[in-house]
Amino acid sequence: MDPLEQLLAERACERVVLDFVHRLDLGEPSSVAELFTQDGIWEWPAPGDCRRSEGREQLRKYFGSRPADRLSRRIMSNIRVTVTSADTAEATSYFTTYRVDGYTGGMVPPGAPVQVGHYQDAFRKVDGTWLLASRTLFLPFGGPTTRLPG
C-alpha cells in the first residue's frame, strides 16, 4: 500500500469513529448500525456488563433504544489507526461522555463525566467503504447517568 492510500484509509477509519459519536449525540442513534459491516459486533466484555450486539438489526435495535430524553456529548481523542492490509485496519480511541436523562431543553449545569474509557476497533473495507467490523468498549471510569428533576 502506498503512503497516500494508507493516509486515506487512516482518515476514512477516523471518520467512522467520529461519525459514530456524532450520530449518537446529534443524529439518529439507530443509524449507528450503518457504520458497521452486516455482521458487525459491538461489545462490552467482562469486567463490563457483558453486553453484545451482533449484526445490523441488533445494533439498530440496541442503539435506537436510548431514552428519548437523554442528552449526551462525547469527546473523542487519541484516535490511532493502524492499517493492517488494503482492506483491514485497527484503531484505539479514547472517549469522555457527559450524559443526563430527563432533558427537556435549555442549558444543563456541567457535571463530571459519567464515562471515560477507550474503544478497540477492527475495520473492514466493503465495496470501497471502510466500516466497523467490531467495536469493543473498555470502561475503567464509569458511573450512573443523572436524571434531571422535572
Side-chain angles (χ1 to χ4, degrees), residues 48-66:
D49 69 2
C50 299
R51 205 175 315 169
R52 179 183 170 99
S53 295
E54 186 170 349
R56 282 190 178 159
E57 194 54 41
Q58 279 188 15
L59 291 162
R60 192 173 291 107
K61 183 178 177 182
Y62 171 68
F63 288 108
S65 68
R66 294 172 182 269

Side-chain angles (χ1 to χ4, degrees), residues 43-47 93 95 116-121 135-141:
E43 63 183 330
W44 184 11
S93 57
F95 68 90
V116 178
H118 75 278
Y119 282 108
Q120 288 291 132
D121 297 322
R135 173 158 257 212
T136 304
L137 169 68
F138 296 91
L139 193 61
F141 302 96

Side-chain angles (χ1 to χ4, degrees), residues 93-109:
S93 57
Y94 292 77
F95 68 90
T96 303
T97 304
Y98 294 85
R99 182 174 59 217
V100 295
D101 287 342
Y103 180 72
T104 58
M107 191 178 300
V108 177

Side-chain angles (χ1 to χ4, degrees), residues 109-127:
V114 296
Q115 297 176 330
V116 178
H118 75 278
Y119 282 108
Q120 288 291 132
D121 297 322
F123 296 91
R124 193 164 61 234
K125 192 175 183 182
V126 178
D127 297 327

